[in-house]
Amino acid sequence: MIFMVKTTVSLIKADVGSIPGHVTVPKPLLSVAEKHMQKACETGLINSYYVFNAGDDLELLMTHSKGENNEDIHKLAWDTFMACADKAKSLKLYGAGQDLLADAFSGNVKGMGPGVAEIEFNERGSDPLIVFAADKTEPSAFNYLMYKIFADPSNTSGLVIDPRMLCGFTFDVLDAKASKSVMLKAPEELYSLLALIGTTEQYMIKKVYRSDDMEPAASLSTTKLAYIAGKYVGKDDPVCLVRAQSGLPSVGEITSTFLHPYLVAGWMRGSHWGPFLPVGLKNSKCTLFDGPPRLICLGVQIANGKLVSDDDGKPIVIDIFDDPAFDLARREAMELASHLRRHGVFQPARLSAGAMEYTTLPQCLVDLESRFKKE
Ligand code: 13P
Ligand code: 13P
Ligand code: MG
Ligand code: MG
């Protein structure tokens, strides 16, 4: 049987409270989320789900047939987060309700605090999907990863040796400061693309499509909490969905960027650079200097609108970074972490002055203003 209805995968996340401080999401919150998701499955709103955490961020992975930006799906996520935040408040967890910036749901969780990555597609014969979720960093942390997967043939051999990928990929890039976006093609416009996405303070990738048929290949969250709240309220810890194989980069090409770590912004108080540390779910907790920024990578397959499950109906989720293949990256990341921490609050360990405008630093400088004398 061919499944004709389009399938949507929605990954919606929020920090609704954590323990201790900003380290991780405790079990009682995951259980509240599980209950809400299970109920939504029973009523037929969603087809399947998986609840997990990336550090202190609660992640709801859902499959359904309602398309992207669907009000019912977003309301389900919002109501789930609200219930979890209530539980967090009752336990006096840290930052209870941190990312829920509105009092009431208004049709779409975008702009209300939670991060969203959604991708709608016609299922192929087999549909592998890679799910990335990060803590203590920002959406543009994925710019380098997207470039490596979809535009760098030294990472993705398929760009050269799979005829279905010779057309290259089209990147939808958001200018988060000006709230406008532009589509750029790689390899044709690679240098212009890199000129934008290398400036991670301002530009972030929203979507990636295969160029010849605009087949959706990746979707990323782009929430900037500071721009919504007008001040630092926590980091915009991002999520990303990447489809794999059969004319798209293979699972191994998607993960091979993490042979080595790279630096991302957002460590400690959202104010420092740190190495992106790839970890399995058992290490999904930001311990050292509230970090280092951590990245979870899960592998699933989608079939007939659902996450492929075992005989008990439990989704089969492969914890990709729970593997010695990433030990080298972890060791290199900790060497970088050690080097950066020796700089304390000095740049380049600390973010640039422009990025610090969105943190609590300006408040510390107010009293100094009147003491400055003209030179
Ligand atoms: P597909 O072309 O079927 O995606 O397989 C490529 C491959 O073998 C990846 O290692
Ligand atoms: P989160 O955004 O993950 O809550 O982190 C906040 C912070 O400043 C940790 O140092
Ligand atoms: Mg937090
Ligand atoms: Mg977080």
Side-chain angles (χ1 to χ4, degrees), residues 45 82 84 92 121 156 217 259 264:
L45 178 56
M82 289 299 264
C84 293
K92 285 185 75 179
F121 52 90
T156 301
L259 179 57
V264 296

Side-chain angles (χ1 to χ4, degrees), residues 15 24 41 82 90 107 126 134 187 217 259 306 351 363:
D15 179 343
T24 194
C41 247
M82 289 299 264
S90 76
S126 180
L259 179 57
K306 290 183 178 176
L351 299 194
Q363 295 160 36

Side-chain angles (χ1 to χ4, degrees), residues 91-224:
L91 296 171
K92 285 185 75 179
L93 294 184
Y94 201 69
Q98 175 184 289
D99 288 356
L100 307 178
L101 304 180
D103 295 327
F105 181 69
S106 62
N108 191 309
V109 290
K110 280 186 187 162
M112 297 177 73
V116 184
E118 297 187 295
I119 193 160
E120 186 187 30
F121 52 90
N122 283 312
E123 283 184 25
R124 301 168 291 169
S126 180
D127 241 294
L129 181 81
I130 300 298
V131 176
F132 288 104
D135 189 29
K136 308 299 184 266
T137 186
E138 57 183 8
S140 55
F142 289 138
N143 285 6
Y144 179 72
L145 177 62
M146 292 298 110
Y147 155 67
K148 294 294 281 182
I149 295 171
F150 292 108
D152 181 1
S154 70
N155 181 83
T156 301
S157 306
L159 292 168
V160 176
I161 64 180
D162 181 343
R164 293 166 296 180
M165 275 194 270
L166 288 179
C167 60
F169 288 87
T170 298
F171 294 70
D172 188 357
V173 180
L174 173 73
D175 176 341
K177 283 193 179 153
S179 274
K180 54 188 185 183
S181 54
V182 61
M183 299 275 246
L184 288 166
K185 273 187 177 186
E188 299 90 321
E189 301 173 292
L190 181 62
Y191 296 165
S192 304
L193 174 71
L194 288 172
L196 293 184
I197 65 173
T199 304
T200 48
E201 268 170 49
Q202 188 167 355
Y203 299 96
M204 54 194 74
I205 297 163
K206 282 200 299 184
K207 298 256 188 189
V208 182
Y209 303 91
R210 185 169 54 201
S211 291
D212 66 356
D213 56 0
M214 293 306 273
E215 182 69 20
S219 176
L220 301 94
S221 65
T222 52
T223 306
K224 285 292 271 182

Side-chain angles (χ1 to χ4, degrees), residues 361-373:
L361 181 70
Q363 295 160 36
C364 299
L365 302 177
V366 172
D367 289 347
L368 279 187
E369 240 160 69
S370 59
R371 292 173 52 191
F372 272 97
K373 301 223 163 31

